[in-house]
Every structure is written in structure tokens, then in C-alpha cells.
Amino acid sequence: MHLPKFEYLHPASVEEVTQLLKEYGLRARLVAGGTDLFPRMKYGLVCPEVLVGLKGIPVKAPTVTQNGELHLDALMSLADVARSPVVLERAPLLKTAASSVGSNQIRHMGTLGGNLCLENRCPSYNQTHTFQFMEPCFKRGGDRCSCPRGRSAGLHSPRIRHQL
Ligand SMILES: Cc1cc2nc3c(=O)[nH]c(=O)nc-3n(C[C@H](O)[C@H](O)[C@H](O)COP(=O)(O)OP(=O)(O)OC[C@H]3O[C@@H](n4cnc5c(N)ncnc54)[C@H](O)[C@@H]3O)c2cc1C
């Protein structure tokens, strides 16, 4: 599987990012760690002409405001979220959640912002066309959802299991 062609831009500030998004509109996508976006591009689910990389933007350290709010930069890697003493103290469940994502490599590449903006992860959607055994779901222009209710991964669907 290969990535389709795209232009990669690497702005160094949020202002530059905003300007680029304004300029390219829907032809552009933001990319942080790329652990979600690049596989989707390989599957042909999304094909942006331009990628606006966020890795050149300085990441702010977590802060706690006077009224006790925890502020985290969307560009923090999940590994940094998981090992931050401030997160551990203020939001221990977030630390547990970040620690449980994927593998060590995914946690080092993947960011908090990317995790919040993830596309659906469902075996009937996140596939190449070769593995499209089922009729297209809503997200592929069809008229059904193959994910059973309450199971976002859909792996437990008897239908999917049967067809795999
Ligand atoms: C093998 C594997 C295992 C995984 N396991 C898990 C898991 O257990 N749990 C889980 O939750 N996820 C999992 N993921 C999904 C994903 O990799 C992570 O959730 C990761 O945090 C995504 O972050 P990213 O920076 O790589 O996102 P990217 O791929 O860079 O971006 C994802 C989306 O978010 C948008 N985006 C990124 N950053 C920003 C921003 N700052 N502002 C606005 N939009 C933004 C992008 O445009 C894109 O649409 C897994 C992925 C893989 C490949």
C-alpha cells in the first residue's frame, strides 16, 4: 500500500497554520503524528492535496490555572501525556487512558489533538477496497452501518466475523 501524492507544508506557528488552512481550504488536512491520517490515506479514504504538518510548532508544557483547570497542548504526544506528573496529579484517568493507547511507538508519534479528532475505527470502514466484503456503509456513501451498537470497533459483529 502506498501513500498518494501530496504536498507537505511545515509551518512554524499557529498563525501560519491558520493562514495555510484559509488558503487551501478543504484541499488541505492537518497532520500531527500521522498515525491515523496516513493509514486512511493509504486505504484511499481521504486524499488531501496538501498536508499541513504540525510538528514544527512548539509544544507548550501542561499548566494549571488558578481555579484548578488543567490546560494541555493538543500537540503533546500521548507518551508525554502519560508520563506528565501534572496530568497524573490532576487527571489520573487521562494518564491511564493515554498509557493504554496502541503501542509505545504509536504513543510517541500520536498526539492528544489527533486522538480527539480521530476518524471512526471500524473494520468495515478502515479497509482498502480489496477488503470491502460488505456493502458500503454510510461513511462510504452507502445506506447502512455495519458496526453493532455500542461496539465501535465492530470486530465482534457476527456478520463481520463470518465474512472475514
Ligand atoms: C496500530 C495503531 C493502534 C492504535 N491504537 C489506538 C488505541 O488503542 N486507542 C486510540 O484512541 N487510538 C488508537 N490509534 C489511533 C491513533 O493513532 C491515535 O489515537 C493517535 O493519538 C492519533 O494522533 P495523531 O497525532 O497521530 O493523529 P493524526 O493522524 O496526525 O491526525 C488524526 C486526525 O486529527 C486531525 N488533527 C490532528 N491534530 C490536530 C490538531 N491539533 N487540531 C485539529 N485537528 C487535528 C488530523 O487532521 C486528522 O484528521 C491507533 C493507531 C494505530 C495505527
Side-chain angles (χ1 to χ4, degrees):
M1 265 188 294
H2 298 286
L3 277 172
K5 283 200 170 140
F6 57 86
E7 187 182 353
Y8 183 79
L9 304 174
H10 40 94
S13 69
V14 174
E15 291 71 26
E16 256 186 85
V17 171
T18 316
Q19 188 53 43
L20 289 170
L21 290 181
K22 217 159 131 187
E23 190 178 329
Y24 289 98
L26 293 176
R27 293 185 291 139
R29 286 285 174 123
L30 294 175
V31 62
T35 60
D36 176 61
L37 186 65
F38 288 140
R40 278 196 284 132
M41 287 172 68
K42 286 184 176 179
Y43 293 154
L45 295 170
V46 60
C47 200
E49 276 173 48
V50 174
L51 288 185
V52 179
L54 300 175
K55 286 287 180 184
I57 296 171
V59 184
K60 292 187 199 126
T63 52
V64 180
T65 62
Q66 278 186 339
N67 56 2
E69 286 172 7
L70 174 62
H71 286 201
L72 298 176
D73 194 315
L75 291 173
M76 263 182 102
S77 73
L78 294 173
D80 284 342
V81 173
R83 64 183 163 218
S84 159
V86 186
V87 174
L88 176 61
E89 191 198 316
R90 289 287 172 172
L93 278 180
L94 181 59
K95 181 223 154 38
T96 308
S99 314
S100 69
V101 171
S103 61
N104 198 29
Q105 289 98 323
I106 296 291
R107 291 193 294 275
H108 275 84
M109 287 300 291
T111 61
L112 189 59
N115 187 271
L116 292 174
C117 299
L118 275 185
E119 180 52 280
N120 286 38
R121 293 181 70 76
C122 162
S124 72
Y125 172 64
N126 294 102
Q127 293 288 355
T128 58
H129 289 294
T130 324
F131 288 94
Q132 293 292 299
F133 302 115
M134 288 173 279
E135 289 165 57
C137 68
F138 289 119
K139 291 188 73 82
R140 285 182 178 264
D143 64 353
R144 65 197 66 232
C145 174
S146 308
C147 269
R149 271 190 160 191
R151 291 175 178 171
S152 62
L155 280 169
H156 308 287
S157 156
R159 196 168 162 210
I160 294 171
R161 225 172 22 221
H162 173 71
Q163 284 167 338
L164 286 176

